[in-house]
Amino acid sequence: MARLAEFGRWKAQSLGRADLSRKGSVDADAAPVVERLNAREEFFTTSSCAGRVLLLDGSTNDSGIQKQHCRWLLVTHRPCVKDDVVAALKGATSNAVLKFEPFILHVQCRTLQDAQTLHSVAIESGFRNSGITVGKRGKTMLAVRSTHGLEVPLSHKGKLMVTEEYIEFLLTIANQKMEENKKRIERFYSCLQHALERKATSSSHSEIQEKNNALCTHKTNRNQGKARDPSVTEDYEKELEGDDGLGISAAFLLEDD
Amino acid sequence: MARLAEFGRWKAQSLGRADLSRKGSVDADAAPVVERLNAREEFFTTSSCAGRVLLLDGSTNDSGIQKQHCRWLLVTHRPCVKDDVVAALKGATSNAVLKFEPFILHVQCRTLQDAQTLHSVAIESGFRNSGITVGKRGKTMLAVRSTHGLEVPLSHKGKLMVTEEYIEFLLTIANQKMEENKKRIERFYSCLQHALERKATSSSHSEIQEKNNALCTHKTNRNQGKARDPSVTEDYEKELEGDDGLGISAAFLLEDD
């Protein structure tokens, strides 16, 4: 009981704080999911990004990783056109990198079981790199993550290393990923809705459950007929990305759930 | 007790199975970690990849994602030279993409607490996208993941879209990431070792614990002085990558642990 009261306090505190993000507000495409979760007593969100194309400029350390405090030349949560990127790249003085970053969401959950429910929703909706974190005092978070990104170095010490034609080609792919990302957020909202309804009706209305299950497993063709065990998320993702060569030290046990 | 016996059976079954990966064996750089974990009664690994540069060729669907069953033109777990990539690209007939994929590891854990211990080790070593999955029957997995990748489209319908100079530039970055990835695996091994020793000596030898803690928090400069709360993994990572513009719907509670 003390745990539940503590969760309530955390939630009130967290939602009462100012939004410290650069943008200062929740992205429009993420807002329905964020609002739906925060309206539930068992969840609250702690950060979110709907997905974006980002052009960064900064020096790279010996590890090939851009240093902190690099400059943002461009950021957009909408489809992106070549001329905007080309114009923004004129401001690059160091190593510019174009990234597509998909939807990301952090949700604090009242219990591990609540986190498991939400984790299943995430996996069902295609966010296969999602995972739970449990702190020492029992604070339970779900991170909703996709594998569905791009990270493309474009310039070196201010010198553009690719053609405008390449940038156009790259943005076609980035925009397709943005579109797919949006579909996955919608799927997440829909699966969340069904999971919450299922929870409410629980064991007493098995027919409704079945109907909801059918609605929620509407996925893209490439995902059909695949294992749904959340414990195989990463391998599953790898397999889907045509990436089946992991050094498997022991086969997955698929009969979990 | 039945849970523990069940875990033992799962482990024996899993480790007794044939390695079904394309390569058929554990990558050399991942082997020490895999062996160390499998020697412990509370863990067993189910898949691993030490990290690799991968050149894939395949058509892309409308979602900007390469279809399943794309061809592997090149894969290497070692630093990569331009001539090898240029030669491999001659075989591309569709959309070739170069990826750097960092270390990935899946570990089944006996209890949630064991998974938490290993999760802390992963976060400490820089694998900040790691997360726990708990199946309905209580099967508990930790996925060790980094954010430290590259995904670069290189050709479109068989036509190379970049110059050889760009490929050379790109491989310099990929090889730096490979090197950093190797350091993180070594750090993971070292932190794991210390966590296991700490567990063995537990509360009785507080001095040894402190010494081990000091050894394990040896990290790169850019990570120093930062919060270590595993519940902030993703934001922490974002912040480190100069990527601090998440639409924060509510600030993180940093006082967890």
Short mmCIF file of all heavy atoms in Angstrom, two decimals, chain A residues 14 19 21-22 45-46 48 52 63 101 104 106 129 132 136 139 145 153 159 165-166 180 226 234 242-244 246-250 257, chain B residues 14 19 21-22 45-46 48 52 63 72 101 104 106 129 132 136 145 153 159 165-166 180 234 243-244 246-250 253 257:
data_model
loop_
_atom_site.label_atom_id
_atom_site.label_comp_id
_atom_site.label_asym_id
_atom_site.label_seq_id
_atom_site.Cartn_x
_atom_site.Cartn_y
_atom_site.Cartn_z
N SER A 14 6.11 14.52 -10.65
CA SER A 14 6.67 14.49 -11.99
C SER A 14 5.81 15.30 -12.96
O SER A 14 6.32 16.13 -13.73
CB SER A 14 6.78 13.04 -12.45
OG SER A 14 7.27 12.99 -13.75
N ASP A 19 8.25 21.40 -18.11
CA ASP A 19 8.81 20.62 -19.22
C ASP A 19 10.17 21.22 -19.56
O ASP A 19 10.26 22.35 -20.04
CB ASP A 19 7.86 20.69 -20.41
CG ASP A 19 8.29 19.78 -21.55
OD1 ASP A 19 9.50 19.61 -21.74
OD2 ASP A 19 7.41 19.24 -22.23
N SER A 21 12.41 20.17 -21.73
CA SER A 21 12.96 19.86 -23.05
C SER A 21 13.23 21.13 -23.82
O SER A 21 12.66 22.19 -23.54
CB SER A 21 11.99 18.97 -23.84
OG SER A 21 10.80 19.69 -24.12
N ARG A 22 14.07 21.02 -24.84
CA ARG A 22 14.40 22.16 -25.70
C ARG A 22 13.14 22.76 -26.31
O ARG A 22 12.98 23.97 -26.38
CB ARG A 22 15.34 21.65 -26.82
CG ARG A 22 16.16 22.71 -27.50
CD ARG A 22 17.05 22.10 -28.57
NE ARG A 22 18.29 21.57 -28.03
CZ ARG A 22 19.50 21.78 -28.60
NH1 ARG A 22 19.60 22.52 -29.69
NH2 ARG A 22 20.58 21.26 -28.09
N THR A 45 4.17 9.24 -17.91
CA THR A 45 5.29 9.33 -18.85
C THR A 45 6.32 10.31 -18.30
O THR A 45 5.97 11.29 -17.65
CB THR A 45 4.81 9.81 -20.23
OG1 THR A 45 4.26 11.11 -20.10
CG2 THR A 45 3.76 8.88 -20.81
N THR A 46 7.59 10.02 -18.55
CA THR A 46 8.64 10.92 -18.07
C THR A 46 9.39 11.60 -19.22
O THR A 46 10.01 12.63 -19.01
CB THR A 46 9.65 10.17 -17.19
OG1 THR A 46 10.25 9.14 -17.96
CG2 THR A 46 8.99 9.56 -15.97
N SER A 48 9.34 11.85 -23.93
CA SER A 48 8.84 11.31 -25.20
C SER A 48 9.41 12.11 -26.36
O SER A 48 9.76 13.28 -26.20
CB SER A 48 7.31 11.39 -25.25
OG SER A 48 6.89 12.74 -25.20
N ARG A 52 11.98 12.08 -35.38
CA ARG A 52 12.42 13.31 -36.04
C ARG A 52 13.62 13.05 -36.97
O ARG A 52 14.35 12.07 -36.79
CB ARG A 52 12.83 14.33 -34.98
CG ARG A 52 13.95 13.84 -34.09
CD ARG A 52 14.15 14.75 -32.89
NE ARG A 52 15.21 14.23 -32.03
CZ ARG A 52 15.52 14.73 -30.85
NH1 ARG A 52 14.86 15.77 -30.38
NH2 ARG A 52 16.50 14.21 -30.13
N SER A 63 36.41 7.79 -30.50
CA SER A 63 35.50 6.64 -30.48
C SER A 63 34.48 6.72 -31.62
O SER A 63 33.58 5.89 -31.70
CB SER A 63 34.73 6.61 -29.16
OG SER A 63 35.57 6.90 -28.09
N GLU A 101 15.57 9.59 -36.03
CA GLU A 101 15.35 8.97 -34.72
C GLU A 101 13.86 8.67 -34.57
O GLU A 101 13.04 9.58 -34.62
CB GLU A 101 15.79 9.90 -33.61
CG GLU A 101 17.27 10.19 -33.66
CD GLU A 101 17.73 11.10 -32.54
OE1 GLU A 101 16.91 11.90 -32.06
OE2 GLU A 101 18.90 11.00 -32.15
N ILE A 104 10.21 7.58 -29.25
CA ILE A 104 10.77 7.06 -28.00
C ILE A 104 9.91 7.57 -26.85
O ILE A 104 9.44 8.70 -26.87
CB ILE A 104 12.25 7.43 -27.86
CG1 ILE A 104 12.85 6.73 -26.67
CG2 ILE A 104 12.47 8.92 -27.77
CD1 ILE A 104 14.36 6.73 -26.71
N HIS A 106 9.31 7.08 -22.43
CA HIS A 106 9.64 6.48 -21.13
C HIS A 106 8.42 6.59 -20.22
O HIS A 106 7.88 7.68 -20.06
CB HIS A 106 10.83 7.19 -20.49
CG HIS A 106 12.09 6.98 -21.24
ND1 HIS A 106 12.51 7.82 -22.24
CD2 HIS A 106 13.01 6.00 -21.17
CE1 HIS A 106 13.64 7.36 -22.75
NE2 HIS A 106 13.97 6.26 -22.12
N ASN A 129 12.73 -2.96 -29.55
CA ASN A 129 13.87 -2.76 -28.65
C ASN A 129 13.44 -2.20 -27.30
O ASN A 129 14.26 -1.67 -26.56
CB ASN A 129 14.91 -1.83 -29.30
CG ASN A 129 15.92 -2.61 -30.11
OD1 ASN A 129 15.81 -3.83 -30.22
ND2 ASN A 129 16.89 -1.93 -30.67
N ILE A 132 12.35 -3.06 -19.89
CA ILE A 132 11.99 -2.60 -18.54
C ILE A 132 13.27 -2.34 -17.74
O ILE A 132 14.26 -3.03 -17.91
CB ILE A 132 11.14 -3.69 -17.84
CG1 ILE A 132 9.84 -3.94 -18.61
CG2 ILE A 132 10.85 -3.33 -16.38
CD1 ILE A 132 9.06 -5.17 -18.16
N LYS A 136 16.70 0.10 -7.68
CA LYS A 136 16.91 -0.63 -6.43
C LYS A 136 15.73 -0.46 -5.47
O LYS A 136 15.41 -1.37 -4.73
CB LYS A 136 18.20 -0.15 -5.75
CG LYS A 136 19.44 -0.81 -6.34
CD LYS A 136 20.71 -0.36 -5.63
CE LYS A 136 21.93 -0.68 -6.49
NZ LYS A 136 22.95 0.36 -6.40
N LYS A 139 11.55 1.26 -8.36
CA LYS A 139 10.97 2.14 -9.39
C LYS A 139 11.05 1.42 -10.74
O LYS A 139 12.12 0.99 -11.16
CB LYS A 139 11.75 3.46 -9.45
CG LYS A 139 11.10 4.48 -10.35
CD LYS A 139 11.91 5.75 -10.44
CE LYS A 139 11.73 6.62 -9.22
NZ LYS A 139 12.46 7.92 -9.37
N ARG A 145 11.15 1.60 -27.49
CA ARG A 145 12.19 1.92 -28.47
C ARG A 145 12.01 1.10 -29.74
O ARG A 145 11.68 -0.07 -29.68
CB ARG A 145 13.58 1.54 -27.94
CG ARG A 145 14.09 2.27 -26.77
CD ARG A 145 15.54 1.87 -26.52
NE ARG A 145 15.89 2.09 -25.14
CZ ARG A 145 15.93 1.15 -24.21
NH1 ARG A 145 15.67 -0.12 -24.53
NH2 ARG A 145 16.25 1.45 -22.97
N PRO A 153 26.84 10.01 -41.66
CA PRO A 153 27.79 11.13 -41.69
C PRO A 153 27.74 11.81 -43.05
O PRO A 153 27.73 11.14 -44.09
CB PRO A 153 29.15 10.43 -41.49
CG PRO A 153 28.84 9.08 -40.94
CD PRO A 153 27.51 8.71 -41.52
N LYS A 159 33.63 20.03 -44.75
CA LYS A 159 33.55 19.70 -46.19
C LYS A 159 32.44 18.67 -46.44
O LYS A 159 32.45 17.58 -45.84
CB LYS A 159 34.90 19.13 -46.65
CG LYS A 159 34.95 18.82 -48.14
CD LYS A 159 36.16 17.97 -48.51
CE LYS A 159 36.00 17.44 -49.92
NZ LYS A 159 36.86 16.28 -50.18
N GLU A 165 22.28 14.98 -54.95
CA GLU A 165 21.47 13.83 -55.40
C GLU A 165 21.39 12.77 -54.29
O GLU A 165 20.33 12.19 -54.03
CB GLU A 165 22.10 13.24 -56.68
CG GLU A 165 21.23 12.19 -57.35
CD GLU A 165 21.99 11.37 -58.41
OE1 GLU A 165 23.24 11.51 -58.51
OE2 GLU A 165 21.35 10.58 -59.09
N TYR A 166 22.52 12.55 -53.62
CA TYR A 166 22.53 11.58 -52.52
C TYR A 166 21.63 12.06 -51.38
O TYR A 166 20.88 11.27 -50.79
CB TYR A 166 23.95 11.35 -52.00
CG TYR A 166 23.97 10.40 -50.81
CD1 TYR A 166 23.83 9.03 -50.98
CD2 TYR A 166 24.07 10.89 -49.50
CE1 TYR A 166 23.80 8.16 -49.91
CE2 TYR A 166 24.04 10.02 -48.41
CZ TYR A 166 23.91 8.66 -48.63
OH TYR A 166 23.86 7.80 -47.55
N GLU A 180 6.39 5.38 -41.60
CA GLU A 180 6.22 4.09 -40.93
C GLU A 180 6.19 4.28 -39.41
O GLU A 180 5.41 3.64 -38.70
CB GLU A 180 7.37 3.15 -41.32
CG GLU A 180 7.48 1.87 -40.50
CD GLU A 180 6.29 0.93 -40.65
OE1 GLU A 180 5.52 1.08 -41.62
OE2 GLU A 180 6.11 0.07 -39.76
N LYS A 226 4.77 -14.56 -37.28
CA LYS A 226 6.02 -14.63 -36.50
C LYS A 226 5.72 -14.88 -35.03
O LYS A 226 4.64 -14.57 -34.55
CB LYS A 226 6.76 -13.30 -36.63
CG LYS A 226 7.23 -13.01 -38.03
CD LYS A 226 8.51 -13.72 -38.32
CE LYS A 226 8.88 -13.60 -39.79
NZ LYS A 226 10.08 -14.33 -40.10
N GLU A 234 14.72 -8.96 -29.71
CA GLU A 234 15.85 -8.48 -30.48
C GLU A 234 16.16 -9.40 -31.64
O GLU A 234 16.37 -8.96 -32.76
CB GLU A 234 17.07 -8.35 -29.58
CG GLU A 234 18.17 -7.56 -30.21
CD GLU A 234 18.11 -6.12 -29.77
OE1 GLU A 234 17.69 -5.87 -28.63
OE2 GLU A 234 18.49 -5.25 -30.57
N GLY A 242 16.50 -8.94 -41.87
CA GLY A 242 17.34 -9.77 -42.72
C GLY A 242 18.70 -9.99 -42.11
O GLY A 242 19.70 -10.15 -42.79
N ASP A 243 18.70 -10.08 -40.81
CA ASP A 243 19.94 -9.90 -40.08
C ASP A 243 20.11 -11.07 -39.14
O ASP A 243 20.26 -10.91 -37.94
CB ASP A 243 19.72 -8.60 -39.29
CG ASP A 243 21.00 -7.91 -39.02
OD1 ASP A 243 22.04 -8.55 -39.23
OD2 ASP A 243 20.96 -6.80 -38.57
N ASP A 244 20.12 -12.26 -39.74
CA ASP A 244 19.95 -13.45 -38.91
C ASP A 244 21.25 -14.15 -38.55
O ASP A 244 21.27 -15.31 -38.24
CB ASP A 244 19.02 -14.43 -39.62
CG ASP A 244 19.51 -14.73 -41.02
OD1 ASP A 244 20.44 -14.03 -41.48
OD2 ASP A 244 19.02 -15.66 -41.64
N LEU A 246 23.38 -13.61 -36.00
CA LEU A 246 23.91 -13.48 -34.64
C LEU A 246 24.64 -14.76 -34.23
O LEU A 246 24.18 -15.85 -34.52
CB LEU A 246 22.75 -13.26 -33.64
CG LEU A 246 22.07 -11.90 -33.69
CD1 LEU A 246 20.87 -11.91 -32.77
CD2 LEU A 246 23.05 -10.83 -33.26
N GLY A 247 25.73 -14.61 -33.54
CA GLY A 247 26.42 -15.77 -32.99
C GLY A 247 25.60 -16.31 -31.83
O GLY A 247 25.71 -15.84 -30.72
N ILE A 248 24.75 -17.25 -32.12
CA ILE A 248 23.82 -17.72 -31.09
C ILE A 248 24.53 -18.72 -30.20
O ILE A 248 24.96 -19.76 -30.63
CB ILE A 248 22.56 -18.33 -31.73
CG1 ILE A 248 21.80 -17.22 -32.47
CG2 ILE A 248 21.68 -18.98 -30.68
CD1 ILE A 248 20.51 -17.63 -33.06
N SER A 249 24.66 -18.33 -28.94
CA SER A 249 25.41 -19.18 -28.02
C SER A 249 24.52 -20.31 -27.51
O SER A 249 24.98 -21.28 -27.00
CB SER A 249 25.93 -18.35 -26.86
OG SER A 249 24.86 -17.73 -26.20
N ALA A 250 23.25 -20.12 -27.64
CA ALA A 250 22.29 -21.17 -27.29
C ALA A 250 20.97 -20.70 -27.87
O ALA A 250 20.64 -19.53 -27.80
CB ALA A 250 22.19 -21.32 -25.79
N ASP A 257 5.58 -18.20 -23.21
CA ASP A 257 4.30 -17.70 -22.68
C ASP A 257 3.12 -18.60 -23.01
O ASP A 257 3.18 -19.40 -23.90
CB ASP A 257 4.05 -16.30 -23.22
CG ASP A 257 5.01 -15.32 -22.59
OD1 ASP A 257 5.53 -15.64 -21.50
OD2 ASP A 257 5.23 -14.28 -23.17
N SER B 14 18.85 -25.26 -23.22
CA SER B 14 19.31 -24.21 -24.11
C SER B 14 20.78 -24.40 -24.49
O SER B 14 21.14 -24.33 -25.66
CB SER B 14 19.10 -22.86 -23.41
OG SER B 14 19.56 -21.82 -24.23
N ASP B 19 24.13 -24.56 -32.13
CA ASP B 19 24.21 -23.13 -32.44
C ASP B 19 23.63 -22.94 -33.84
O ASP B 19 24.19 -23.39 -34.83
CB ASP B 19 25.68 -22.70 -32.38
CG ASP B 19 25.84 -21.20 -32.53
OD1 ASP B 19 25.05 -20.59 -33.27
OD2 ASP B 19 26.76 -20.64 -31.90
N SER B 21 23.11 -20.12 -35.49
CA SER B 21 23.47 -18.88 -36.18
C SER B 21 24.15 -19.20 -37.51
O SER B 21 24.66 -20.31 -37.71
CB SER B 21 24.41 -18.04 -35.32
OG SER B 21 25.64 -18.70 -35.13
N ARG B 22 24.16 -18.21 -38.39
CA ARG B 22 24.81 -18.35 -39.69
C ARG B 22 26.27 -18.76 -39.51
O ARG B 22 26.79 -19.61 -40.23
CB ARG B 22 24.72 -17.00 -40.41
CG ARG B 22 24.87 -17.06 -41.91
CD ARG B 22 24.77 -15.68 -42.51
NE ARG B 22 23.39 -15.28 -42.74
CZ ARG B 22 22.95 -14.70 -43.88
NH1 ARG B 22 23.79 -14.47 -44.87
NH2 ARG B 22 21.70 -14.33 -44.01
N THR B 45 23.31 -17.41 -21.53
CA THR B 45 23.15 -16.53 -22.69
C THR B 45 22.35 -17.27 -23.76
O THR B 45 22.46 -18.48 -23.90
CB THR B 45 24.52 -16.12 -23.27
OG1 THR B 45 25.20 -17.28 -23.72
CG2 THR B 45 25.36 -15.41 -22.23
N THR B 46 21.53 -16.52 -24.48
CA THR B 46 20.75 -17.15 -25.55
C THR B 46 21.14 -16.67 -26.94
O THR B 46 20.86 -17.33 -27.92
CB THR B 46 19.24 -16.91 -25.33
OG1 THR B 46 19.00 -15.51 -25.35
CG2 THR B 46 18.75 -17.49 -24.02
N SER B 48 24.25 -13.79 -29.00
CA SER B 48 25.25 -12.73 -28.86
C SER B 48 25.82 -12.37 -30.22
O SER B 48 25.83 -13.18 -31.14
CB SER B 48 26.39 -13.20 -27.95
OG SER B 48 27.06 -14.30 -28.53
N ARG B 52 29.73 -5.70 -35.53
CA ARG B 52 30.20 -5.99 -36.89
C ARG B 52 29.85 -4.86 -37.86
O ARG B 52 28.94 -4.06 -37.63
CB ARG B 52 29.53 -7.28 -37.39
CG ARG B 52 28.02 -7.17 -37.44
CD ARG B 52 27.38 -8.54 -37.65
NE ARG B 52 25.93 -8.43 -37.64
CZ ARG B 52 25.10 -9.45 -37.67
NH1 ARG B 52 25.57 -10.69 -37.70
NH2 ARG B 52 23.80 -9.27 -37.68
N SER B 63 8.01 1.37 -46.35
CA SER B 63 8.30 1.88 -45.02
C SER B 63 9.77 2.26 -44.88
O SER B 63 10.22 2.62 -43.80
CB SER B 63 7.99 0.82 -43.96
OG SER B 63 6.81 0.14 -44.28
N TRP B 72 23.63 -10.63 -47.97
CA TRP B 72 24.78 -10.07 -47.24
C TRP B 72 25.94 -10.00 -48.22
O TRP B 72 26.43 -11.02 -48.68
CB TRP B 72 25.20 -11.01 -46.11
CG TRP B 72 24.24 -11.08 -44.97
CD1 TRP B 72 22.89 -10.90 -45.02
CD2 TRP B 72 24.58 -11.37 -43.61
NE1 TRP B 72 22.37 -11.05 -43.77
CE2 TRP B 72 23.37 -11.34 -42.89
CE3 TRP B 72 25.76 -11.64 -42.94
CZ2 TRP B 72 23.33 -11.59 -41.52
CZ3 TRP B 72 25.71 -11.89 -41.59
CH2 TRP B 72 24.51 -11.85 -40.89
N GLU B 101 26.86 -2.47 -36.48
CA GLU B 101 26.00 -2.96 -35.39
C GLU B 101 26.87 -3.29 -34.19
O GLU B 101 27.76 -4.14 -34.28
CB GLU B 101 25.26 -4.21 -35.83
CG GLU B 101 24.32 -3.94 -36.99
CD GLU B 101 23.55 -5.18 -37.41
OE1 GLU B 101 24.08 -6.30 -37.22
OE2 GLU B 101 22.45 -5.03 -37.93
N ILE B 104 25.76 -7.07 -28.97
CA ILE B 104 24.42 -7.36 -28.47
C ILE B 104 24.43 -8.71 -27.78
O ILE B 104 25.13 -9.63 -28.22
CB ILE B 104 23.38 -7.28 -29.61
CG1 ILE B 104 21.99 -7.38 -29.05
CG2 ILE B 104 23.61 -8.32 -30.67
CD1 ILE B 104 20.93 -6.93 -30.03
N HIS B 106 21.90 -11.43 -25.26
CA HIS B 106 20.66 -11.77 -24.55
C HIS B 106 20.98 -12.80 -23.47
O HIS B 106 21.58 -13.83 -23.77
CB HIS B 106 19.62 -12.34 -25.51
CG HIS B 106 19.14 -11.33 -26.50
ND1 HIS B 106 19.73 -11.15 -27.71
CD2 HIS B 106 18.15 -10.42 -26.42
CE1 HIS B 106 19.11 -10.17 -28.35
NE2 HIS B 106 18.15 -9.71 -27.59
N ASN B 129 21.08 1.22 -23.83
CA ASN B 129 19.75 0.84 -24.32
C ASN B 129 19.36 -0.56 -23.86
O ASN B 129 18.46 -1.17 -24.42
CB ASN B 129 19.68 0.92 -25.85
CG ASN B 129 19.25 2.29 -26.31
OD1 ASN B 129 19.04 3.19 -25.49
ND2 ASN B 129 19.10 2.46 -27.61
N ILE B 132 15.13 -5.10 -19.56
CA ILE B 132 14.66 -6.40 -19.07
C ILE B 132 13.32 -6.73 -19.73
O ILE B 132 12.51 -5.85 -19.98
CB ILE B 132 14.50 -6.35 -17.53
CG1 ILE B 132 15.84 -6.05 -16.86
CG2 ILE B 132 13.88 -7.63 -16.99
CD1 ILE B 132 15.76 -5.72 -15.37
N LYS B 136 5.19 -13.99 -19.39
CA LYS B 136 4.02 -14.24 -18.52
C LYS B 136 4.31 -15.32 -17.48
O LYS B 136 3.80 -15.27 -16.38
CB LYS B 136 2.81 -14.64 -19.39
CG LYS B 136 2.12 -13.44 -19.99
CD LYS B 136 0.90 -13.84 -20.78
CE LYS B 136 0.50 -12.70 -21.72
NZ LYS B 136 -0.04 -13.17 -22.98
N ARG B 145 22.21 -3.78 -24.94
CA ARG B 145 22.19 -3.05 -26.22
C ARG B 145 22.88 -1.70 -26.09
O ARG B 145 22.73 -1.01 -25.11
CB ARG B 145 20.76 -2.72 -26.66
CG ARG B 145 19.87 -3.85 -26.99
CD ARG B 145 18.55 -3.29 -27.53
NE ARG B 145 17.49 -4.24 -27.33
CZ ARG B 145 16.58 -4.17 -26.36
NH1 ARG B 145 16.60 -3.17 -25.51
NH2 ARG B 145 15.66 -5.10 -26.25
N PRO B 153 22.58 4.26 -46.26
CA PRO B 153 22.25 3.77 -47.60
C PRO B 153 23.36 4.16 -48.58
O PRO B 153 23.82 5.31 -48.56
CB PRO B 153 20.95 4.53 -47.93
CG PRO B 153 20.41 5.01 -46.62
CD PRO B 153 21.62 5.26 -45.76
N LYS B 159 22.69 1.27 -58.38
CA LYS B 159 23.57 2.40 -58.72
C LYS B 159 24.20 2.97 -57.43
O LYS B 159 23.48 3.33 -56.48
CB LYS B 159 22.73 3.50 -59.40
CG LYS B 159 23.57 4.70 -59.83
CD LYS B 159 22.69 5.90 -60.21
CE LYS B 159 23.53 7.16 -60.34
NZ LYS B 159 22.74 8.38 -60.24
N GLU B 165 35.76 8.08 -52.01
CA GLU B 165 36.30 8.92 -50.93
C GLU B 165 35.33 8.92 -49.74
O GLU B 165 35.75 8.84 -48.58
CB GLU B 165 36.49 10.36 -51.46
CG GLU B 165 37.23 11.28 -50.52
CD GLU B 165 37.13 12.77 -50.91
OE1 GLU B 165 36.35 13.11 -51.84
OE2 GLU B 165 37.80 13.58 -50.26
N TYR B 166 34.04 8.98 -50.04
CA TYR B 166 33.04 8.95 -48.97
C TYR B 166 33.09 7.61 -48.24
O TYR B 166 33.01 7.55 -47.00
CB TYR B 166 31.63 9.19 -49.52
CG TYR B 166 30.58 9.09 -48.43
CD1 TYR B 166 30.40 10.13 -47.51
CD2 TYR B 166 29.81 7.93 -48.26
CE1 TYR B 166 29.46 10.03 -46.48
CE2 TYR B 166 28.88 7.83 -47.23
CZ TYR B 166 28.72 8.88 -46.35
OH TYR B 166 27.80 8.78 -45.32
N GLU B 180 35.71 1.38 -30.15
CA GLU B 180 35.01 1.80 -28.93
C GLU B 180 34.12 0.66 -28.41
O GLU B 180 34.04 0.42 -27.20
CB GLU B 180 34.17 3.05 -29.21
CG GLU B 180 33.20 3.45 -28.12
CD GLU B 180 33.86 3.85 -26.81
OE1 GLU B 180 35.07 4.14 -26.81
OE2 GLU B 180 33.15 3.83 -25.77
N GLU B 234 17.98 6.02 -21.26
CA GLU B 234 17.82 6.53 -22.61
C GLU B 234 18.08 8.03 -22.68
O GLU B 234 18.77 8.51 -23.56
CB GLU B 234 16.41 6.22 -23.09
CG GLU B 234 16.27 6.41 -24.56
CD GLU B 234 16.42 5.11 -25.29
OE1 GLU B 234 16.05 4.07 -24.73
OE2 GLU B 234 16.91 5.13 -26.42
N ASP B 243 21.94 15.19 -27.64
CA ASP B 243 20.65 14.95 -28.24
C ASP B 243 19.58 15.23 -27.19
O ASP B 243 18.76 14.39 -26.89
CB ASP B 243 20.67 13.46 -28.59
CG ASP B 243 19.76 13.19 -29.73
OD1 ASP B 243 18.98 14.08 -30.07
OD2 ASP B 243 19.83 12.10 -30.24
N ASP B 244 19.61 16.47 -26.70
CA ASP B 244 18.88 16.75 -25.47
C ASP B 244 17.51 17.39 -25.71
O ASP B 244 16.97 18.03 -24.83
CB ASP B 244 19.72 17.64 -24.57
CG ASP B 244 20.18 18.89 -25.29
OD1 ASP B 244 19.97 18.96 -26.53
OD2 ASP B 244 20.71 19.78 -24.67
N LEU B 246 14.49 15.99 -26.32
CA LEU B 246 13.28 15.18 -26.18
C LEU B 246 12.14 16.02 -25.65
O LEU B 246 12.33 16.85 -24.77
CB LEU B 246 13.53 14.05 -25.17
CG LEU B 246 14.42 12.91 -25.64
CD1 LEU B 246 14.67 11.97 -24.50
CD2 LEU B 246 13.74 12.16 -26.77
N GLY B 247 10.96 15.81 -26.16
CA GLY B 247 9.77 16.47 -25.62
C GLY B 247 9.46 15.85 -24.27
O GLY B 247 8.80 14.84 -24.19
N ILE B 248 9.98 16.43 -23.22
CA ILE B 248 9.85 15.82 -21.91
C ILE B 248 8.47 16.15 -21.35
O ILE B 248 8.13 17.30 -21.13
CB ILE B 248 10.97 16.29 -20.97
CG1 ILE B 248 12.30 15.76 -21.51
CG2 ILE B 248 10.73 15.80 -19.55
CD1 ILE B 248 13.48 16.07 -20.66
N SER B 249 7.68 15.11 -21.18
CA SER B 249 6.32 15.34 -20.72
C SER B 249 6.29 15.51 -19.22
O SER B 249 5.35 16.00 -18.66
CB SER B 249 5.43 14.17 -21.13
OG SER B 249 5.94 12.99 -20.57
N ALA B 250 7.33 15.09 -18.58
CA ALA B 250 7.48 15.29 -17.14
C ALA B 250 8.93 14.94 -16.83
O ALA B 250 9.47 14.00 -17.39
CB ALA B 250 6.56 14.37 -16.37
N LEU B 253 12.68 11.59 -12.41
CA LEU B 253 12.99 11.61 -10.98
C LEU B 253 14.35 10.97 -10.82
O LEU B 253 14.51 9.78 -11.06
CB LEU B 253 11.93 10.81 -10.22
CG LEU B 253 10.53 11.41 -10.30
CD1 LEU B 253 9.52 10.45 -9.72
CD2 LEU B 253 10.49 12.74 -9.55
N ASP B 257 17.73 5.66 -6.78
CA ASP B 257 18.51 4.61 -6.09
C ASP B 257 19.31 5.11 -4.89
O ASP B 257 19.56 6.27 -4.79
CB ASP B 257 19.43 3.94 -7.10
CG ASP B 257 18.61 3.11 -8.05
OD1 ASP B 257 17.47 2.75 -7.69
OD2 ASP B 257 19.10 2.84 -9.13
#
